[in-house]
Every structure is written in structure tokens, then in C-alpha cells.
Amino acid sequence: MNIHEYQGKEILSKYGVRIQRGIVAETPAQAVEAAQQMMTLTNSKFVVVKSQIHAGGRGKGKIVGSEQRGVQLAKSVEDVEKIATNLLGNVLVTIQTGEEGKRVNKILVAEDVYYPGASEPKEYYVSILLDRAKACNVIMASTEGGMDIEEVAEHTPEKIVKEWIDPAVGLQGFQARKLAFALGLEGEAFKEMVKFLTSLYKAYTDTDSSMFEINPVLKTSDNKIMAVDAKVNIDDNALFRHADIAALRDKAEEDPLEVEASENDLNYVKLDGNVGCMVNGAGLAMGTMDLIKLSGGEPANFLDVGGSANAKTVEAGFRIILKDPNVKAILINIFGGIVRCDRVATGVVEAYKAIGEIPVPIIVRLQGTNAAEGAKIINESGLKVLSAIEFKEAAAKVTQVLQEM
Amino acid sequence: MSVLINKDSKIIVQGFTGTEGSFHAQQMIEYGTNVVGGVTPGKGGQTHLDRPVFNTVEDAVTKAGADVSIIFVPPAFAADAIMEAADGGIKVIICITEGIPVKDMMMVKNYLENRDCRLIGPNCPGVMTAGECKVGIMPGFIFKKGTIGIVSKSGTLTYEAVDQLTRAGLGQTTAIGIGGDPIIGTTTKEAVELLMNDPDTEAIVMIGEIGGTMEPDAARWIKATGNKKPVVGFIAGQTAPKGRRMGHAGAIIGGADDTAAAKMRIMAECGIFVVESPALIGETMLKALGRA
């Protein structure tokens, strides 16, 4: 589960990680109030206004139909009001949102931390994530802060340092020191970085996170180390033991069809194609999407109805798939192991009748337990449904349907 | 011969008296699997499905001689159940549970490191030795005793592959569902290695998914050890977008190396018969064996 920058920073702050402070606002009036508070707190006229959406690249991203950037420096309260008006309620397109962009519902009015002082401010990069092959967490750090880390990895991999953490004992002091030395820090900034990394790792494990990306981590002109941004991703499987974090879910950031699917216990991911599909099992669902592509179509979605496909789940699946206007055909692919195909077939017929007219051709492939009985139910139902038993037969029918359109 | 489990394996079910555990234990018994009992803490001494219930795995090992365990306990308690099985002396631990937190699996993997046991899963359909022993949730009737071994991250795709093989007249030795989580007990390479070393297994079907590097690792090992048996391979998720979790917790494209295209390319380079369509697994195996 993804959370917003401001929410991530609140979590980090609880664990003693120094953060760029800020106040979240949902209206220009709230933004003005927030700016006044921040200006008093920091004794500065500058604040940074940051769009809160679940996507990176906000600083370079632009609001649709204008040249307004997603993150802007404001030099007065009037500035803040103007920027807030330009951002709130509008759609921001960044390198990670796709063309359709994301609506900005919240902004963070944050302190300006690039103030002049004894030394030059400098940006670093720190992330924590799972190394699947080693089955442990790895901390990655780089002197190339503020940059796209994938580019750094490709062109100057020597500028990324890594420390793997033994899950039994956690991050050790020598590892945090190694990383801080590798970043070329010394004196007060070195000590601050060691503390920063130690607190950050504690926050990561305590919250069952699956990814922290702090980019940039800033060394301020007075040698403080702080998180200026925070991309925090929590392990969905662990949310049952973090009710407080689960409550941070922002459904407005998710596709409405995906929200509806999750409310019906369906595992659905919306895609851009023209053939919808409904499948039992995640692997077979991906395999079915691949088959649609090989048959000349493009998958409109991933949908795993799970191990208990019945009339209710099939109907919910149909309704969700049909809400996507791009869908021109639907392929249902069920391999009945524990699930009985005749029950699924009955479910399809009932769902079809409950929904009324389904305006697109449907191909139903039932295989496994009671497959023949299932096919019989479909064929005798009088519905406009093409039935198949073998997987390649289903593929051929998808091609046929697409050619007839 | 077969790998991991056979007709002599003595199986216990952890989470025996729960809904899932009861249902699948019954199915396993009907297949002829030698289920010697189960574990449900607090219900020790009772009888369930005509078999004894024990309070601890250790009891089941000492009193019933169990050497294989299958785990159906809920995600919050699954890590504990796996470690109990390992500590109790179980040699093959098969965890079906889906939804175990990654942090728990990290601890489990670490705990198992120097112990004499093997974990299969979690988030897997279990292991099936055709005609002998079913320890999992795979439908028994699609299997036929034979010479093809199967390694797969996905449940229903395993059934699909087995069904195509059986229809092509090719029976199976053992199907190993390794699971779709980011951290699993037995890797693709380790499962393939078991089947490569099994004298009764003539050829292997290897089914993977987007995410991680287990399939390319296995492919490189197959090549390095001289491609001793034909391997047919498929990777699900050729059309999956980057950065989205496709059902399985582990099925997510992180970078350029863990896409289906990248994995399939490496597998083909290593001499694996790669199929683009999951509908062609059976046919391709016949070709790989020179019987098409």
C-alpha cells in the first residue's frame, strides 16, 4: 500500500527521523494559514508547496493545460495562495502518472530547508527495500541525491553503496557508519547521518514497510541530515497488525474500479486493452492475458476471482469489467480443481440474467472438475456465449470474435 | 522414484481441525496419501477424520513418526507454524498459506538456514507425486503417473500444464508448487535440481512469473550442468505493466531484468524450450522429447 509524502513523513518523525516540516492543506485558505504558521516557525518568508499524489516526478511534472509545476517555491503568503489555487483540484501529469495524470486533492506547505549557511546544502539518496534473492533487507545510499536512481544505477553504479541487513540482529552500528563514510560525510553531519539511518531502519521494520525511498536526503547548510521527501510503501500482507497505517489508505488515489473490486474481494488491475478477462488463480490470469495478446487482442484487465468462484463473484466480476468502456469482448477462463465447473457455469448464466443485456461477446472456457457438465449448462442456456474446453480453443475463439468486429 | 514425497511419507496437517485443513486433509486421504494425524494446539488427544490430533508437532513426530507437514494455518500464525515444524524434526514442510508478511518470512528463512529440513512455499498449491501422494490442494484426477516433473510458482497454471501433459499422453512424476511470494523456501533452481537428480524424471516443465530472478538463475544452472534433461519453460505476465502487483505478492516487475521477456530470453539462451503461449506446454513437451 502506498501512502502520501506527508503521511510517510509523519511516520518517520515518530521514529526520530528528522524531516522537512510541513502542514497539509486541502483548500487555498488552509494553505495560507499553513504558510503563516510555517513562516512563524522557521522565521523565513519562503515555503515550498508540494502536490500530494501517489506518484514521483512531481517537481518536474506539470498541471494539465498550464506550465504550473507540481512542486513550487513560494516567497510570500500571496504566492502560496496563488500556487495553491493553481494546483488544488487540477490534474498533475508526471513521468510516473501516465498521460491521464492524477488530481491534486492535497498539498503540503513545507519549510524551505535550502537556506544559506556555513556550508553548502547537499542532497543524497537513501532507500530501504527487500533483496529477494538474499531474503533480507538492503539499504542503498548514494551521493547522487535528487536524481532518478535507475539512471544512476545504469550510468554510474559505483556511486551506489549497499548494506545488507541480517534479519536476526537488524542494522548494526558499523553498517550505518560504513554507509555514512561512503557518502563522504564527516563531523556533525556524519553523526547525524548515522542517527538518521538507524532511526529510518527502525521505522522501516516496525511498520512492516516494503519500501522506503528518501530522495533527497538533505545535508543542510548547518549540517543537519533530514528527509525532504518520503516515498513509503507498506507490505499489504502485514496491514492486519497496523490498523493505524491501514487507515491512511487514500482511495481517491486508486482506480475506482480497483476500489470496487477490492470491496468485492476480487483481485483486479485495470489495463488499457479491449478484451476483458476473468480467471481463477493469479498465474493463470496472467497467462490468460498473454494468450489474449497472442490471439490479436490486448488485455483490458487482470482479474483473479480466487479459489471460490461462484454466482456472486462472477456477477461482481462482470459488472466491473463492463464498466470499462474499452472492453469489446470478455474471456472467462476457469480451471476447476476444487472449484466445480458446473457451479461456475451456473454462476455465469445467473449473472448474465441478473445483469440483463451484456453488449459484448463472451467466451467461456471451463476445464477441470465437471468441465463437460459446465459446457452443457452454457450451451443449453440460450445465451450468446461461446464455450471452449481447451485453452487453445479459447484463444482461437478470441481471435474469431476480434476479427468479426 | 519421485522427489520430496512418496507413498511411504508420513504426513501431518498443521491447522488440521480448521475448515481449510479439514477439507483438504480429507481430499488427501481420499487420494491415498498416508496422513498420520494433525496438529491443533489445545485439541491434543482428540480424533479428527479418524486420525489423532496432537498439541505440538514434536508430539506428532515422536508418537506418529511424521516426516512431512502441510500447513493451513492463517497468515498471522504461519511463520510460527513453519518454525515449529522445523524444530519438531519435520524434513519436508509444505506451507499453503497465502498472505504471510514479508518480515515474517525473512525471519523464517533465517531460522531454517542451518536446519536439516526443506520448506516448500508459502502461497503454493503444495506437492503432488502422481498416483502416490498428494500433499496440497492440487486436483488429483488430472494427474497420471509418468515421467515428467513440474516446477511452478502458480497453482492453476500447474493444473493447466499437468492437464495438457496428460492429454498429450505424458504422465508425471512429481509436481512441485514453489509458491508466488517474494520469499519462498525452495527456489526454482533447487526444485529443478531435485527433478534433474531423480532417475524417473525424464523431462521438466518450469513455470515462472514476472518478478525476481529465480527462473534465469535456474536456467543458467541447467545450462552449466549440461542440459541433462529437456526443459519446457513458460513465464506468465508478458502483458503485465511495470510496478503493479499481479495477484501474487511476488509477481511485480521491479526493473528491466525481471520482466517476462527478459526471463524468457535468458531461458531460451540456456537451451530451454520456451513457449510464448501457455496453451502450448503439452505440445512443446512432445516435440522436446522427439515424439511429436
Side-chain angles (χ1 to χ4, degrees):
Chain A
M1 186 185 82
N2 286 318
I3 56 175
H4 287 293
E5 172 196 357
Y6 78 92
Q7 296 168 324
K9 280 179 169 172
E10 275 169 23
I11 291 175
L12 297 190
S13 183
K14 273 185 209 153
Y15 284 88
V17 178
R18 190 191 300 279
I19 55 160
Q20 174 201 36
R21 294 167 298 178
I23 298 167
V24 74
E26 294 179 38
T27 62
Q30 286 178 4
V32 165
E33 202 180 312
Q36 283 162 342
Q37 282 186 43
M38 286 316 296
M39 286 170 181
T40 313
L41 185 73
T42 57
N43 200 21
S44 157
K45 283 222 165 55
F46 292 2
V47 291
V48 185
V49 182
K50 306 171 96 176
S51 302
Q52 299 294 292
I53 58 167
H54 286 185
R58 294 167 297 160
K60 288 184 182 142
K62 285 181 190 169
I63 293 289
V64 170
S66 76
E67 288 298 307
Q68 295 286 329
R69 303 280 178 183
V71 176
Q72 296 184 38
L73 179 66
K75 296 179 178 171
S76 66
V77 172
E78 293 72 32
D79 251 9
V80 170
E81 190 173 14
K82 218 182 296 169
I83 295 168
T85 311
N86 289 333
L87 295 179
L88 283 166
N90 292 312
V91 174
L92 179 62
V93 174
T94 80
I95 195 163
Q96 289 183 12
T97 59
E99 283 170 24
E100 70 276 17
K102 286 198 165 212
R103 197 182 131 102
V104 180
N105 295 317
K106 287 174 187 163
I107 51 175
L108 181 64
V109 180
E111 63 180 319
D112 171 28
V113 285
Y114 292 80
Y115 46 82
S119 68
E120 276 294 304
K122 169 147 179 53
E123 293 181 332
Y124 300 89
Y125 170 96
V126 173
S127 66
I128 309 176
L129 64 159
L130 168 70
D131 182 325
R132 289 170 64 151
K134 290 188 161 71
C136 69
N137 293 321
V138 57
I139 302 182
M140 299 209 299
S142 175
T143 50
E144 306 306 287
M147 308 256 298
D148 178 1
I149 200 66
E150 285 177 17
E151 297 229 334
V152 179
E154 197 183 325
H155 301 297
T156 50
E158 72 282 358
K159 289 186 173 166
I160 299 176
V161 287
K162 297 179 182 179
E163 275 297 315
W164 284 270
I165 316 302
D166 185 329
V169 296
L171 174 69
Q172 296 300 296
F174 76 89
Q175 294 181 297
R177 292 195 298 274
K178 248 168 97 176
L179 286 165
F181 279 127
L183 294 175
L185 293 165
E186 53 190 1
E188 192 54 31
F190 170 86
K191 281 188 215 160
E192 275 260 326
M193 181 60 91
V194 169
K195 182 171 170 280
F196 180 89
L197 293 170
T198 308
S199 309
L200 194 70
Y201 191 77
K202 173 114 173 71
Y204 183 87
T205 52
D206 276 12
T207 54
D208 272 289
S209 285
S210 45
M211 159 124 115
F212 271 8
E213 188 176 48
I214 316 297
N215 191 20
V217 172
L218 182 72
K219 180 191 78 67
T220 60
S221 61
D222 52 354
N223 291 317
K224 288 182 183 127
I225 300 288
M226 69 166 66
V228 177
D229 194 2
K231 186 176 175 189
V232 169
N233 192 293
I234 314 287
D235 179 3
D236 293 297
N237 286 350
L239 286 174
F240 70 83
R241 55 190 177 207
H242 301 285
D244 52 336
I245 296 174
L248 300 179
R249 179 175 170 192
D250 184 351
K251 289 185 183 170
E253 285 293 322
E254 299 171 30
D255 186 288
L257 289 181
E258 293 183 9
V259 173
E260 187 181 338
S262 74
E263 283 160 1
N264 284 288
D265 290 323
L266 295 172
N267 215 326
Y268 171 88
V269 177
K270 189 171 173 323
L271 303 168
D272 299 326
N274 54 359
V275 181
C277 57
M278 196 183 327
V279 190
N280 67 328
L284 190 61
M286 279 187 275
T288 304
M289 286 160 50
D290 297 344
L291 197 84
I292 288 169
K293 172 103 179 170
L294 292 167
S295 304
E298 288 285 341
N301 65 277
F302 166 96
L303 175 55
D304 173 11
V305 294
S308 57
N310 56 38
K312 202 168 150 277
T313 51
V314 170
E315 185 180 330
F318 264 132
R319 288 189 188 278
I320 288 161
I321 292 174
L322 286 167
K323 279 187 188 164
D324 176 353
N326 297 326
V327 169
K328 302 287 181 264
I330 298 174
L331 170 60
I332 299 178
N333 186 16
I334 304 288
F335 199 108
I338 307 309
V339 181
R340 281 170 45 188
C341 291
D342 52 334
R343 284 210 190 138
V344 177
T346 308
V348 170
V349 174
E350 280 174 25
Y352 208 116
K353 285 181 182 154
I355 294 171
E357 186 67 11
I358 292 184
V360 299
I362 294 171
I363 301 140
V364 182
R365 184 267 180 150
L366 297 170
Q367 179 60 288
T369 312
N370 296 356
E373 290 87 334
K376 193 160 173 265
I377 291 168
I378 298 285
N379 292 337
E380 288 174 0
S381 67
L383 301 177
K384 281 186 290 176
V385 172
L386 298 165
S387 155
I389 288 189
E390 287 199 40
F391 206 178
K392 54 184 176 190
E393 221 182 314
K397 290 203 165 142
V398 170
T399 309
Q400 183 194 326
V401 161
L402 289 170
Q403 279 168 353
E404 282 168 8
M405 275 181 338
Chain B
M1 278 286 287
S2 55
V3 300
L4 296 167
I5 55 167
N6 57 40
K7 59 184 190 322
D8 300 321
S9 300
K10 290 182 175 166
I11 289 106
I12 50 160
V13 180
Q14 286 175 263
F16 192 33
T17 54
T19 317
E20 293 277 305
S22 295
F23 176 79
H24 291 290
Q26 184 64 43
Q27 301 266 319
M28 284 160 53
I29 292 165
E30 282 169 17
Y31 194 76
T33 306
N34 185 18
V35 176
V36 298
V39 176
T40 299
K43 292 193 178 173
Q46 297 181 11
T47 301
H48 184 62
L49 307 178
D50 294 329
R51 280 147 179 90
V53 182
F54 301 98
N55 276 328
T56 65
V57 172
E58 194 179 6
D59 274 356
V61 171
T62 33
K63 291 176 188 159
D67 53 10
V68 174
S69 173
I70 181 163
I71 297 174
F72 285 104
V73 309
F77 314 106
D80 178 60
I82 296 170
M83 292 188 276
E84 183 185 354
D87 185 69
I90 296 289
K91 299 296 174 225
V92 176
I93 305 162
I94 297 170
C95 185
I96 307 298
T97 310
E98 174 171 10
I100 304 176
V102 168
K103 186 164 79 180
D104 295 10
M105 278 313 299
M106 234 181 261
M107 302 301 272
V108 165
K109 192 92 176 165
N110 195 68
Y111 184 86
L112 297 183
E113 205 150 278
N114 296 312
R115 281 165 210 267
D116 176 27
C117 64
R118 172 174 292 288
L119 171 67
I120 305 284
N123 192 9
C124 80
V127 181
M128 175 79 141
T129 290
E132 289 190 33
C133 184
K134 161 176 149 135
V135 187
I137 61 174
M138 298 189 198
F141 72 93
I142 57 172
F143 285 83
K144 189 181 110 178
K145 205 169 173 58
T147 60
I148 313 294
I150 296 127
V151 174
S152 173
K153 272 187 185 170
S154 145
T156 37
L157 262 184
T158 308
Y159 314 162
E160 185 65 54
V162 168
D163 185 61
Q164 287 179 31
L165 291 170
T166 301
R167 278 165 196 273
L170 297 166
Q172 304 87 34
T173 47
T174 302
I176 309 168
I178 59 171
D181 272 0
I183 298 180
I184 51 179
T186 296
T187 62
T188 310
K189 181 242 151 192
E190 288 166 340
V192 167
E193 187 173 359
L194 291 171
L195 293 167
M196 281 286 182
N197 293 333
D198 172 35
D200 286 349
T201 299
E202 188 185 6
I204 298 165
V205 173
M206 181 174 118
I207 296 170
E209 292 175 352
I210 51 166
T213 57
M214 282 188 188
E215 300 87 353
D217 293 347
R220 290 191 189 98
W221 178 84
I222 291 167
K223 191 182 178 194
T225 50
N227 295 76
K228 283 188 217 139
K229 295 174 185 178
V231 178
V232 172
F234 174 70
I235 302 291
Q238 297 165 71
T239 49
K242 192 184 170 192
R244 295 300 308 270
R245 174 174 146 170
M246 304 306 271
H248 287 156
I252 179 165
I253 297 171
D257 299 336
D258 59 356
T259 62
K263 291 189 186 195
M264 286 166 128
R265 182 176 51 74
I266 293 168
M267 284 158 60
E269 283 166 9
C270 291
I272 288 168
F273 297 84
V274 176
V275 291
E276 276 194 359
S277 162
L280 299 178
I281 294 168
E283 279 176 47
T284 309
M285 182 54 88
L286 281 176
K287 283 183 199 148
L289 292 166
R291 291 179 208 160

